[in-house]
Amino acid sequence: MRDNLFPLYDNEEICWILIFATRVHFAGAGDILEFGAGSGHSTMTMARMNPNRKIFTFDHFQGLELTKKTIPEGSEWEEVAFRLGHPRLAHWPQNIEEFKKRIENDKNIILTVEDIHKLK
């Protein structure tokens, strides 16, 4: 499947948030949906580069689920990776209250704490 918004990244494993946020900024009007808020860094970057757009970010903050897909060698994509309070992520918020504090000055961020599989 081809990505019409970011065709340069069709076969890339990574798209840096600054590049992504810049492309979103010039893509036109509309709200931004982010699935997986993580530390809030990407959320805040997109919010600040797109101050007139709402950023809806969703996460359950429990980390990644077990997957049957191939995971790139040496990546940190493993079950429960990227959860709040993970011992290898000391620079991340340790709980949801810390996350909310981190994003509180960015008024265009709307956080939904929920497992995306349960959203209706």
Side-chain angles (χ1 to χ4, degrees):
M1 184 168 124
R2 200 140 172 82
D3 183 338
N4 293 326
L5 186 56
F6 304 112
L8 294 175
Y9 298 100
D10 280 349
N11 295 311
E12 297 288 326
E13 290 182 7
I14 192 165
C15 174
W16 297 106
I17 186 55
L18 207 48
I19 294 169
F20 182 82
T22 302
R23 294 249 176 147
V24 167
H25 176 78
F26 291 108
D31 295 333
I32 299 168
L33 306 177
E34 177 188 45
F35 295 90
S39 69
H41 176 72
S42 61
T43 313
M44 292 183 299
T45 301
M46 286 190 290
R48 292 169 188 171
M49 290 184 73
N50 298 278
N52 297 320
R53 298 166 81 177
K54 292 181 183 168
I55 315 298
F56 292 91
T57 189
F58 306 84
D59 207 321
H60 57 36
F61 296 107
Q62 297 170 22
L64 298 176
E65 300 170 350
L66 184 62
T67 182
K68 293 180 182 177
K69 294 182 179 182
T70 304
I71 299 171
E73 185 83 27
S75 77
E76 295 179 351
W77 287 80
E78 61 189 26
E79 188 176 13
V80 304
F82 308 112
R83 69 173 166 82
L84 296 183
H86 194 288
R88 286 188 286 179
L89 301 172
H91 60 287
W92 279 37
Q94 294 300 299
N95 53 53
I96 293 172
E97 289 74 27
E98 283 185 29
F99 182 92
K100 289 178 179 178
K101 180 91 172 130
R102 185 174 277 198
I103 66 167
E104 72 183 358
N105 292 325
D106 297 291
K107 303 301 182 197
N108 57 333
I109 297 174
I110 294 96
L111 170 65
T112 299
V113 180
E114 182 67 69
D115 185 333
I116 62 165
H117 301 99
K118 296 178 183 176
L119 293 174
K120 303 239 183 266

